[in-house]
Amino acid sequence: RKEVEQDPGPFNVPEGATVAFNCTYSNSASQSFFWYRQDCRKEPKLLMSVYSSGNEDGRFTAQLNRASQYISLLIRDSKLSDSATYLCVVRGRAGGTSYGKLTFGQGTILTVHP
Amino acid sequence: DGGITQSPKYLFRKEGQNVTLSCEQNLNHDAMYWYRQDPGQGLRLIYYSQIVNDFQKGDIAEGYSVSREKKESFPLTVTSAQKNPTAFYLCASSAGQGFGGYTFGSGTRLTVV
């Protein structure tokens, strides 16, 4: 089983649609959770951190369920500019000699069309 | 502005040749990382360094080498022992152990010719 698993998609949605991405992780000791966005042939950029209570940033809402080891990202009112690959990222517990590495899912491709 | 600079943006390597990818950061971050990304795949960790003069192997270190002589710099050498080096290489940094994510450079696209 992969440490972080995502549905690779692709998701093709019209402008204005609501789309949800899901992600599961295998290490119950994971400490921090993120969604990154990666545009074609570019570097990943942090979209938002994910907190246990859930958090929202404009049109984007992230949820974390530690019991189920499940993370989600909801995008409302999709824009053409939202087209990208969305990476689910999990950070392990840091401490001692462990630096708490980031583990990346393979990404979910989103295309928003007119 | 603070950030991470990778160079070159594109690099072509002949069979049997070693090449070095540059990564410099002015964020005053302690930790630096090298990842490899292949088409349609996630990022895989090659090497990481938490502090100057110390570095550790990641998940796919074979055929690669690194050095960390300065806090700001973490160059990656792709040696001739790396049998399939064509990929997108990403350097990242973070403030160290903690809860945060990483900041990435813009990447180097390496092609074997």
Side-chain angles (χ1 to χ4, degrees), chain A residues 3 31-34 36 38 40-46 49 87 91-92 94-107, chain B residues 6 9-10 31 33 35 37 40-45 48 50 59 88 90 94 96-107 109:
Chain A
E3 289 187 63
Q31 185 159 264
S32 308
F33 309 89
F34 311 91
Y36 275 72
Q38 186 174 25
C40 188
R41 302 177 74 83
K42 300 282 190 180
E43 75 274 22
K45 292 186 177 178
L46 180 64
S49 300
L87 302 169
R91 185 162 192 174
T97 57
S98 170
Y99 77 103
K101 71 170 187 176
L102 288 190
T103 302
F104 290 78
Q106 69 179 98
Chain B
Q6 287 188 243
K9 193 172 179 67
Y10 298 96
Y33 315 86
Y35 285 87
Q37 188 176 35
Q41 297 192 32
L43 279 68
R44 292 184 290 168
L45 182 65
Y48 65 97
Q50 298 182 73
D59 301 318
F88 187 39
L90 288 156
S94 70
Q97 291 189 10
F99 298 90
Y102 298 171
T103 301
F104 282 88
S106 58
R109 203 163 292 276

Side-chain angles (χ1 to χ4, degrees), chain B residues 45-112:
Chain B
L45 182 65
I46 304 172
Y47 267 98
Y48 65 97
S49 168
Q50 298 182 73
I51 196 168
V52 175
N53 292 322
D54 184 62
F55 49 83
Q56 306 294 330
K57 292 182 179 180
D59 301 318
I60 55 165
E62 185 174 350
Y64 299 97
S65 66
V66 294
S67 63
R68 187 86 186 275
E69 297 176 1
K70 298 187 301 181
K71 186 176 185 177
E72 301 79 17
S73 178
F74 191 40
L76 173 74
T77 297
V78 184
T79 75
S80 57
Q82 171 50 238
K83 296 307 177 189
N84 186 22
T86 296
F88 187 39
Y89 290 87
L90 288 156
C91 179
S93 71
S94 70
Q97 291 189 10
F99 298 90
Y102 298 171
T103 301
F104 282 88
S106 58
T108 293
R109 203 163 292 276
L110 174 62
T111 304
V112 173

